[in-house]
Amino acid sequence: CAVDRWLHLVLEFFQLAFVKLLQLRPAIDRRSSSLSLLVLSMANLLSYVLFLALRTFAAPPEYIQVWPGGSTPVPGDLGNDTVGPSLVPPPGTSKHAPHSIIIGVRKGGTRALLEMLDIHPEVAAAATEVHFFDWDENYAKGFEWYREQMPYSYPNQITVEKTPGYFTSPVAPARIRAMNSSIRLLLILRDPTERVISDYTQVYFNRLENHKPVQAIENMLVKNGALNTRYKAIQRSLYDVHMRNWLQHFPLEQIHIVDGDTLIHDPLPELQRVERFLHLPPRIVASNFYFNQTKGFYCIRSDGHERCLHESKGRPHPPVNSTVLRQLRLYLRQHNRNFYRLIGRTFNWQ
């Protein structure tokens, strides 16, 4: 702010004055450099004390930040520079329940969709998955608690939250409708067979990192010589089963389906469709994306910064026994056809 810039100028002036004072004192011998350094250090200390005093008494109340414990951190002690819950919010902002929710699906590209949508200046994205509508312990905390988990936003912005577990939750649709029956929902899907393998891959690496035993994917997919259809990863890929539950509470017009496979290979058209669905002005452009040859997928360029998704995204899938893979695809094929009929649209899923 302007106050901070003015105070920094005062600080620099005092530092420069003390340095000049030292330079103009011929009585100080070269051998007494330690004395010079001591005087200079005292000058810096006095200047900093003056700076803090001036800032405390001169800064308007809206620029004074209150930190946990009531203390003010010293320079360089801000950690990762994230805004804590006790900071005074930016003027003109407030917290709102989401205008739109990315409801799923797990390992379908929800994080990529949220990060890319966050490029838009009129979108305020929640930083974490809240699990309000699918976890009973969180839902019991009430809507006010849920609203407090949202980011601060300006009046011209919409708030977006994403929790992939909502799509497969039997209770989430009714709970979301109870909050806002006209809310706009985003559902990102990918080839259900690839989603199953990606689901396994995430659990596999998580168990490795936590030094827990792991099993080959075939041992998870097959049980007693037959496809293990009760395996959670397979259950999550039965898109038709879960979609029927959502359509009992929301019309199809309120659920926009994003093609997760297309988003990976050509993100712009998918993001432009989302902009139109959310009634956002077109702000996301081709220059917001660049292909990272090392990672093998698109990364984001926004406000002069470049960033890619976390290293846990895009992990290579393990090879799967061809016979088992064929069984999985055959089982999911009829569910895919049912899903196509439900939504009046097809995808290039094997």
Side-chain angles (χ1 to χ4, degrees):
C1 65
V3 173
D4 275 346
R5 290 196 296 270
W6 180 77
L7 292 175
H8 278 294
L9 287 175
V10 173
L11 175 61
E12 291 176 2
F13 170 78
F14 274 94
Q15 288 177 326
L16 181 61
F18 274 103
V19 171
K20 290 297 183 183
L21 179 62
L22 289 172
Q23 291 174 346
L24 293 174
R25 292 197 56 171
I28 299 180
D29 191 87
R30 290 181 182 273
R31 289 171 297 177
S32 60
S33 58
S34 59
L35 176 61
S36 301
L37 291 175
L38 177 61
V39 174
L40 182 57
S41 298
M42 291 298 295
N44 283 329
L45 178 60
L46 290 172
S47 301
Y48 184 63
V49 171
L50 177 63
F51 170 74
L52 290 180
L54 287 172
R55 186 177 187 188
T56 301
F57 291 104
E62 62 267 26
Y63 291 114
I64 298 176
Q65 294 176 328
V66 181
W67 293 80
S71 62
T72 301
V74 297
D77 192 30
L78 298 183
N80 59 1
D81 295 329
T82 55
V83 178
S86 57
L87 286 183
V88 175
T93 64
S94 57
K95 291 186 176 184
H96 300 276
H99 303 79
S100 177
I101 301 177
I102 300 174
I103 59 175
V105 63
R106 172 184 162 107
K107 305 310 297 177
T110 58
R111 172 54 57 183
L113 176 59
L114 186 68
E115 293 277 348
M116 292 176 178
L117 190 57
D118 196 31
I119 296 171
H120 201 291
E122 295 185 18
V123 169
T128 59
E129 296 175 4
V130 184
H131 286 283
F132 178 66
F133 298 103
D134 60 334
W135 289 1
D136 292 342
E137 60 269 31
N138 283 345
Y139 192 70
K141 297 174 183 178
F143 286 116
E144 183 61 25
W145 177 87
Y146 179 57
R147 188 180 65 84
E148 281 302 311
Q149 311 312 306
M150 297 301 112
Y152 285 102
S153 61
Y154 290 96
N156 67 317
Q157 292 182 308
I158 65 169
T159 300
V160 179
E161 185 240 322
K162 78 102 174 171
T163 299
Y166 292 160
F167 181 60
T168 57
S169 167
V171 297
R175 290 174 172 179
I176 293 177
R177 181 178 174 81
M179 178 190 71
N180 183 359
S181 61
S182 61
I183 194 169
R184 292 183 169 268
L185 305 171
L186 295 170
L187 172 63
I188 179 167
L189 301 174
R190 63 190 295 197
D191 185 315
T193 301
E194 293 298 315
R195 200 219 63 80
V196 169
I197 301 172
S198 183
D199 199 319
Y200 164 84
T201 303
Q202 175 172 294
V203 174
Y204 175 86
F205 279 101
N206 286 343
R207 294 185 68 86
L208 280 183
E209 291 169 1
N210 292 295
H211 308 289
K212 294 181 178 180
V214 295
Q215 296 188 55
I217 188 171
E218 289 82 3
N219 294 340
M220 305 299 293
L221 292 173
V222 177
K223 187 175 183 180
N224 299 325
L227 189 69
N228 181 17
T229 58
R230 298 183 65 84
Y231 176 36
K232 284 186 178 180
I234 294 179
Q235 287 289 311
R236 294 186 185 108
S237 280
L238 305 183
Y239 298 156
D240 60 324
V241 174
H242 307 300
M243 194 66 179
R244 285 193 189 96
N245 187 27
W246 284 91
L247 291 177
Q248 290 178 3
H249 301 276
F250 292 96
L252 185 60
E253 293 74 24
Q254 279 180 236
I255 306 175
H256 178 72
I257 300 175
V258 178
D259 188 334
D261 298 306
T262 301
L263 186 74
I264 295 173
H265 301 105
D266 189 13
L268 182 59
E270 288 298 320
L271 268 297
Q272 290 174 331
R273 293 185 188 100
V274 172
E275 283 180 322
R276 291 192 291 270
F277 175 72
L278 297 178
H279 302 305
L280 291 168
R283 295 290 183 271
I284 301 175
V285 295
S287 59
N288 288 131
F289 308 102
Y290 68 97
F291 189 79
N292 187 303
Q293 295 288 346
T294 303
K295 293 181 175 292
F297 53 77
Y298 278 90
C299 295
I300 299 168
R301 182 185 293 114
S302 178
D303 297 326
H305 301 285
E306 296 180 352
R307 67 182 188 277
C308 291
L309 297 178
H310 189 266
E311 60 183 11
S312 63
K313 307 299 181 182
R315 283 170 170 163
H317 290 176
V320 185
N321 177 277
S322 59
T323 302
V324 174
L325 189 61
R326 194 178 307 112
Q327 282 182 281
L328 178 60
R329 291 194 186 282
L330 185 62
Y331 174 74
L332 292 174
R333 187 170 298 162
Q334 186 58 51
H335 285 280
N336 294 344
R337 290 170 179 166
N338 295 341
F339 181 69
Y340 297 159
R341 283 195 291 269
L342 280 175
I343 64 171
R345 176 182 172 187
T346 62
F347 292 87
N348 294 321
W349 298 335
Q350 298 185 36

